[in-house]
Amino acid sequence: MNVILLGPPGVGKGTQGVLLAEGKAWKHVATGDILRANRREGTPLGKEAQKYMDAGELVPDELIVAMVKDTLEAMPPSQGVVFDGFPRTVPQAESLDLALQELGRRVDRVVVLEADDEVLVKRIAGRRSCPECGSVFNVYANPPQREGVCDKCGADLVHRPDDNPETVQNRLDVYKAQTEPLIRFYDGREGVMARIPGEGGVDEIQQGIRAAL
Ligand code: AP5
């Protein structure tokens, strides 16, 4: 099954995507995580992406589409996928349709997670991320056992560079202008779209997502 998690910054795509992929033994394809790994490793893609990410702007479609195609082509043909943070524009969605078609796959479900902007801003302000293993915590809702230290690998947690208030506002604006139109793009496909409240407990939201699949 090929599932897209769609929704604004901070709504919980990463949190829910990891749980869903672990539970179903699917691959979690999170374009933000792949870009951050490229930045850490200092690859040409990571260096090119940095200026867009730090400003809260989208990385150009052609870079993102090539990156996702490489990931898909390296996967076993029958493995399920959870896309998190991709597609984010209509051209990306069109490219995904073509790439999946070439591999004998298709978009099976699009799960839209929804929450008010105030909730998103507070969650992002409280997020602490592990630069080593990618684990995500929240000082309000899901704090690490030792303040500032990753429970899983012991690395020092960081506040993502794009999680400052000005950049967050731009990310919300970019979502509304460039990514929200995807809801209409997928809406006409029968049995594909599901809208799930992104507010509430993590487990409760996960159950809602699984029920929608
Ligand atoms: P990306 O990394 O994809 O960021 P995003 O979409 O802005 O989403 P976030 O990671 O901020 O939030 P999330 O929805 O995953 O929430 P999370 O689970 O962490 O992209 C970053 C940048 O990369 C983009 O701005 C762009 O530059 C570039 N990029 C990436 N993909 C691209 C693409 N396809 N095209 C072009 N450019 C691209 O949760 C947030 C916080 O809330 C956490 O602290 C978490 O612990 C907490 N939390 C989660 N669920 C709950 C809950 N139910 N209750 C309470 N707290 C919760």
Side-chain angles (χ1 to χ4, degrees):
M1 196 172 208
N2 304 290
V3 176
I4 294 170
L5 291 183
L6 193 62
V11 77
K13 302 180 297 297
T15 303
Q16 297 298 335
V18 166
L19 289 175
L20 187 59
E22 277 176 6
K24 301 265 190 192
W26 290 347
K27 186 160 178 69
H28 179 216
V29 177
T31 44
D33 290 348
I34 301 174
L35 291 169
R36 280 184 287 277
N38 273 276
R39 282 179 65 162
R40 278 199 300 281
E41 289 157 16
T43 68
L45 171 62
K47 286 179 185 156
E48 175 67 15
Q50 179 158 357
K51 58 180 181 283
Y52 300 101
M53 297 174 83
D54 286 350
E57 297 291 336
L58 295 184
V59 175
D61 288 340
E62 60 274 18
L63 295 179
I64 297 288
V65 168
M67 184 178 94
V68 173
K69 274 176 126 176
D70 286 349
T71 306
L72 283 174
E73 280 163 14
M75 280 174 41
S78 58
Q79 189 175 19
V81 187
V82 185
F83 293 101
D84 158 3
F86 177 87
R88 246 170 158 106
T89 63
V90 170
Q92 287 184 19
E94 290 167 345
S95 299
L96 177 63
D97 279 342
L98 284 176
L100 289 175
Q101 205 181 340
E102 280 168 17
L103 296 167
R105 296 167 172 263
R106 66 189 165 100
V107 173
D108 296 296
R109 289 281 189 287
V110 178
V111 176
V112 185
L113 294 172
E114 298 173 311
D116 288 342
D117 281 4
E118 306 88 81
V119 173
L120 303 174
V121 167
K122 184 170 180 203
R123 279 189 189 170
I124 292 175
R127 172 166 46 199
R128 298 294 180 270
S129 308
C130 177
E132 296 298 327
C133 72
S135 296
V136 176
F137 301 87
N138 193 284
V139 296
Y140 308 114
N142 170 33
Q145 284 171 4
R146 274 179 58 209
E147 195 184 327
V149 178
C150 178
D151 288 351
K152 281 201 185 148
C153 73
D156 287 342
L157 298 175
V158 298
H159 202 206
R160 263 171 47 181
D162 59 342
D163 277 354
N164 65 77
E166 300 77 42
T167 311
V168 168
Q169 187 53 55
N170 194 39
R171 285 161 59 199
L172 289 169
D173 294 343
V174 166
Y175 174 78
K176 284 177 187 132
Q178 299 191 53
T179 306
E180 223 167 43
L182 286 179
I183 295 176
R184 217 173 325 124
F185 180 88
Y186 288 115
D187 229 354
R189 301 189 187 184
E190 206 179 319
V192 166
M193 284 284 284
R195 289 170 187 257
I196 305 283
E199 297 181 37
V202 168
D203 293 342
E204 180 193 348
I205 297 167
Q206 180 69 198
Q207 280 170 20
I209 293 173
R210 289 189 189 209
L213 302 183

